[in-house]
Amino acid sequence: MSNPSYVTINADRVWLRHMDLSETGITACGGVHRPALTAEDIQAHVKISEWAAARGFDVELDAIGNMFICRAGSAPSATPVGSGSHTDSQPYAGRFDGPLGVLTAFEALEALEDAGVTTTRPIEVPIWNNEEGARFLPGLSGSGAYTGALDLEQMLDCVDCNGVTMRSCVAQLHAALPTAKNRELGQPYAGFVEAHIEQSTILEDADEIIGIVTDIQGNRRFDVKVTGENAHSGTTPRARRKDAFVAATDIAVALREVFWDEEDVARFTIGMFEVLPGAKSIVPGEVNFFIDFRHPSKEALKELGDQVEVIAQRRAGPCTVSVTQVSGAAPLRFSDKVTDLIAASAERHGLASRRMISCAGHDARHFVSICPTAMVFIPCWKGISHNELESAEPELVAAGAQVICDVLVVIAGWA
Ligand code: GLV
Ligand code: MN
Ligand code: MN
């Protein structure tokens, strides 16, 4: 292997790209509302594809709506190196969750182009479709279908809350990018690295700049449906009620107690709760809610996660309850080969760093079974994320871009 041709990224440019991209779907509070494959998300893809075309990079699009920016290497048939993330957002969320991973990698391509450096392997910046899962469930569906972890046809048949299929939205994305080349799913990578904001406060509290992400915690997600009986709220005495709200809240409180741990490691969230028929004077006959449970330990995921069904049945009162696990992922470990490269880059630039676990899910998860993979975190303000106030400092964005660029250059030279 020849010595890597390290290049210096352009700190101003990578920041301006972030500010420019966040105009697409910007909210009154300065965040972004850009759920997957909405007009705003498609516009974000078009914008990045125009930047790519202006730099002479190829743009490719696959059947699940992943877009790839490709910079050729000197060995064009060599397996490429990848670094990317997503442009879709949670509803009314932030400017950096996703775009940071796309735009730091895009900056690496631009910096290599400016320096006239040709890497041996091609380097690609994928934009994975529907990472957040906010519009179509499950999330990470673009990277999942690409790597074979999820079924393409099942994903395309997913519908959003208005009955719109992902298939029809992917067709709109293809129509908006008529010159993009077709890309086969599953083409291999020699390595994959993704930059992301930390979305917590460990780096910020320690005044550190680079998180070397060694692991991602696991998760289990459940749909819970409680069925009672609609009744008149004025005339129906307690003894005759089958109040689905009462049963669902009893279940929720009992679950909160079971999942409460002294160490504050288990992450238990009920973020969606639907009361039906949703009328002021009807005892509700149906409640649906969604549980997002995450934990770094495989055993805890099993033991605590299995309690959802047990507690739900025990606390249903006169109602009936059904619990369906809709998705799950085991905790995983990233590649030491790639985390060592991240650590070496941070050291080279004098950036304080630490090895750490990711508590959020990321597209990089799906690449662990395909190629050496890891992630780079930078701090975000007060750890705030999935919130319009999400923010990151320009110099931290630049530090992340520099580390991504260094790592890509080294992997692009791997034999
Ligand atoms: C991704 O945003 C997640 O919810 O972990
Ligand atoms: Mn993200
Ligand atoms: Mn997110």
Side-chain angles (χ1 to χ4, degrees):
M1 191 181 76
S2 57
N3 283 335
S5 305
Y6 290 120
V7 300
T8 304
I9 60 95
N10 182 325
D12 291 337
R13 179 173 56 200
V14 68
W15 179 254
L16 290 174
R17 293 269 191 230
H18 278 81
M19 295 306 102
D20 192 345
L21 190 67
S22 61
E23 290 298 316
T24 308
I26 195 158
T27 63
C29 300
V32 296
H33 180 71
R34 202 164 54 210
L37 299 177
T38 51
E40 291 76 18
D41 189 34
I42 291 177
Q43 186 52 40
H45 284 74
V46 170
K47 195 177 258 203
I48 296 169
S49 77
E50 287 167 354
W51 295 343
R55 297 300 318 232
F57 307 144
D58 275 350
V59 177
E60 300 180 355
L61 205 51
D62 71 13
I64 189 69
N66 299 315
M67 188 175 109
F68 304 79
I69 315 287
C70 313
R71 182 172 189 265
S74 59
S77 60
T79 307
V81 190
S83 180
S85 193
H86 59 100
T87 54
D88 68 315
S89 78
Q90 290 283 331
Y92 298 94
R95 296 169 294 166
F96 298 91
D97 175 358
L100 184 91
V102 174
L103 297 178
T104 51
F106 190 77
E107 172 54 37
L109 296 198
E110 292 201 90
L112 287 164
E113 196 66 18
D114 289 347
V117 168
T118 305
T119 53
T120 308
R121 295 178 182 280
I123 303 182
E124 295 189 350
V125 182
I127 302 176
W128 306 114
N129 179 28
N130 189 48
E131 189 271 353
E132 294 288 1
R135 183 170 181 200
F136 300 101
L137 265 178
L140 307 182
S141 53
S143 51
Y146 186 84
T147 55
L150 297 172
D151 181 74
L152 170 67
E153 292 303 318
Q154 263 180 23
M155 284 300 101
L156 290 172
D157 285 338
C158 280
V159 289
D160 71 6
C161 61
N162 296 313
V164 179
T165 61
M166 186 187 283
R167 189 183 301 277
S168 66
C169 298
V170 169
Q172 284 171 11
L173 179 67
H174 277 259
L177 293 162
T179 57
K181 295 180 187 160
N182 272 331
R183 162 74 166 235
E184 292 298 313
L185 294 176
Q187 288 186 28
Y189 279 110
F192 187 79
V193 61
E194 176 176 357
H196 209 280
I197 51 169
E198 182 202 338
Q199 305 176 289
S200 190
T201 54
I202 294 169
L203 293 172
E204 191 179 67
D205 288 349
D207 219 0
E208 290 165 344
I209 294 175
I210 295 296
I212 304 158
V213 185
T214 55
D215 299 79
I216 298 190
Q217 70 175 349
N219 64 67
R220 292 177 72 179
R221 275 126 182 176
F222 304 88
D223 265 334
V224 183
K225 182 187 188 72
V226 182
T227 307
E229 199 171 272
N230 295 354
H232 193 296
S233 64
T235 61
T236 316
R238 206 166 46 227
R240 283 216 334 263
R241 289 186 183 212
K242 293 184 179 172
D243 185 330
F245 178 79
V246 168
T249 49
D250 279 354
I251 293 168
V253 169
L255 285 172
R256 226 169 75 79
E257 277 164 20
V258 167
F259 281 78
W260 195 93
D261 57 340
E262 192 67 46
E263 320 74 46
D264 195 7
V265 173
R267 300 278 180 262
F268 174 84
T269 307
I270 297 174
M272 281 172 73
F273 196 92
E274 179 187 43
V275 182
L276 296 172
K280 290 181 181 131
S281 298
I282 301 181
V283 175
E286 184 177 326
V287 167
N288 299 300
F289 62 97
F290 188 86
I291 295 173
D292 177 341
F293 165 49
R294 313 196 197 196
H295 204 288
S297 145
K298 191 165 138 240
E299 292 70 32
L301 278 171
K302 163 101 186 90
E303 279 161 30
L304 280 171
D306 287 355
Q307 285 298 306
V308 173
E309 173 81 44
V310 174
I311 301 285
Q313 298 303 343
R314 194 179 291 155
R315 296 302 187 104
C319 299
T320 57
V321 60
S322 73
V323 175
T324 312
Q325 180 170 335
V326 289
S327 64
L332 65 82
R333 177 127 194 118
F334 284 132
S335 154
D336 291 345
K337 249 171 122 176
V338 184
T339 52
D340 286 351
L341 292 182
I342 298 168
S345 169
E347 200 178 323
R348 228 166 66 78
H349 297 283
L351 302 167
S353 68
R354 75 165 60 207
R355 291 182 184 261
M356 63 193 298
I357 181 173
S358 170
C359 292
H362 299 287
D363 291 304
R365 158 178 285 286
H366 285 309
F367 289 85
V368 169
S369 57
I370 306 283
C371 63
T373 299
M375 292 187 69
V376 175
F377 276 174
I378 61 159
C380 60
W381 180 62
K382 292 187 176 174
I384 293 173
S385 186
H386 287 189
N387 184 312
E388 289 165 277
L389 297 180
E390 181 185 276
S391 167
E393 290 299 318
E395 60 271 24
L396 302 178
V397 170
Q402 188 60 63
V403 170
I404 287 290
C405 187
D406 287 3
V407 172
L408 287 175
V409 162
V410 177
I411 302 179
W414 280 355

